[in-house]
Amino acid sequence: EVQLVESGGGLVQPGRSLRLSCAASGFTFDDYAMHWVRQAPGKGLEWVSGISWNSGSIGYADSVKGRFTISRDNAKNSLYLQMNSLRAEDTALYYCAAVSGAWGQGTLVTVSS
Amino acid sequence: DIQMTQSPSSLSASVGDRVTITCQASQDISNYLNWYQQKPGKAPKLLIYDASNLETGVPSRFSGSGSGTDFTFTISSLQPEDIATYYCQQYDNLPLSSFGQGTKLEIK
């Protein structure tokens, strides 16, 4: 069974950092590019960042460029999102997703003082 | 960056109706388009990939068409369980991607 399980979310003050993780199982992780997608409360889906299978190509939404860093460890079947200089508008449910169409259930990040 | 314009933003239809949602890309994306269904409190579910291919296990009343910049998603006969929000997603230049604004579908 294909599974993506996110972790690392929580309540954090503005300006602080947080690192999200996504553990993959049930498929050949290093066959696929991966994305982070977020959804603010009551809002639509926003693509945040993506990484190719071998980390050779990486992209970010303008809203997070320079603050967030995506990475992956294929040996550990894991995807990461390092989020620095967090803002209130980064508050959202963060999903990891494979380009095959598999999604996790999300981890909630709340940025508030 | 490729912008996706999805319409309508909301839609009310009756059971059995044919429902159509459109998505327009700001530049040619060939057929690199997904359609997702999201129900409240749940992760999005892939319905259509490569613009017109039905994901395994998805009912045949769902379909997609289009290429280039203009795409259409259709439910041929609306069922009560289809109430959800639907999103298009382009993946023309992986790992970059973007979503449409979503269409909230309600029963009339």
Side-chain angles (χ1 to χ4, degrees), chain A residues 1-4 24-32 34 77 98 100 102:
Chain A
E1 180 194 4
V2 172
Q3 268 202 316
L4 294 169
S25 61
F27 66 105
T28 306
F29 181 69
D30 54 12
D31 274 354
Y32 296 98
M34 297 291 295
N77 287 347
S100 61

Side-chain angles (χ1 to χ4, degrees), chain A residues 17-83:
Chain A
S17 299
L18 210 56
R19 189 193 196 210
L20 305 184
S21 299
C22 172
S25 61
F27 66 105
T28 306
F29 181 69
D30 54 12
D31 274 354
Y32 296 98
M34 297 291 295
H35 299 295
W36 285 101
V37 178
R38 69 185 180 184
Q39 188 167 36
K43 302 296 184 182
L45 301 174
E46 180 188 13
W47 177 80
V48 172
S49 182
I51 186 168
S52 63
W53 69 275
N54 63 351
S55 305
S57 184
I58 284 173
Y60 299 96
D62 287 345
S63 57
V64 306
K65 202 171 292 182
R67 300 188 298 122
F68 288 13
T69 302
I70 191 172
S71 62
R72 65 188 296 163
D73 185 337
N74 288 343
K76 294 182 178 179
N77 287 347
S78 292
L79 177 72
Y80 306 100
L81 186 68
Q82 177 67 42
M83 304 187 296

Side-chain angles (χ1 to χ4, degrees), chain A residues 33-35 37 39 43-47 49-52 57-59 62 95 98-101 103-105, chain B residues 1 34 36 38 41-46 49 55 87 89-91 93-102:
Chain A
M34 297 291 295
H35 299 295
V37 178
Q39 188 167 36
K43 302 296 184 182
L45 301 174
E46 180 188 13
W47 177 80
S49 182
I51 186 168
S52 63
S57 184
I58 284 173
D62 287 345
Y95 294 101
V99 295
S100 61
W103 289 57
Q105 288 304 306
Chain B
D1 293 0
N34 288 332
Y36 284 94
Q38 187 181 32
K42 299 293 187 181
K45 174 187 175 183
L46 181 65
Y49 64 95
E55 179 73 347
Y87 295 92
Q89 178 200 20
Q90 69 80 18
Y91 49 98
N93 185 23
L94 284 173
L96 280 70
S97 184
S98 55
F99 289 91
Q101 300 92 328

Side-chain angles (χ1 to χ4, degrees), chain B residues 1-63:
Chain B
D1 293 0
I2 299 173
Q3 311 301 320
M4 303 302 294
T5 303
Q6 186 176 338
S7 62
S9 56
S10 64
L11 178 56
S12 181
S14 300
V15 172
D17 281 355
R18 182 180 184 86
V19 170
T20 298
I21 298 168
T22 64
C23 209
Q24 184 171 61
S26 59
Q27 64 188 66
D28 190 337
I29 60 167
S30 184
N31 66 333
Y32 297 120
L33 187 94
N34 288 332
W35 288 98
Y36 284 94
Q37 176 192 67
Q38 187 181 32
K39 296 185 177 182
K42 299 293 187 181
K45 174 187 175 183
L46 181 65
L47 301 180
I48 303 285
Y49 64 95
D50 292 347
S52 61
N53 292 301
L54 196 66
E55 179 73 347
T56 302
V58 173
S60 59
R61 64 180 180 274
F62 297 100
S63 65

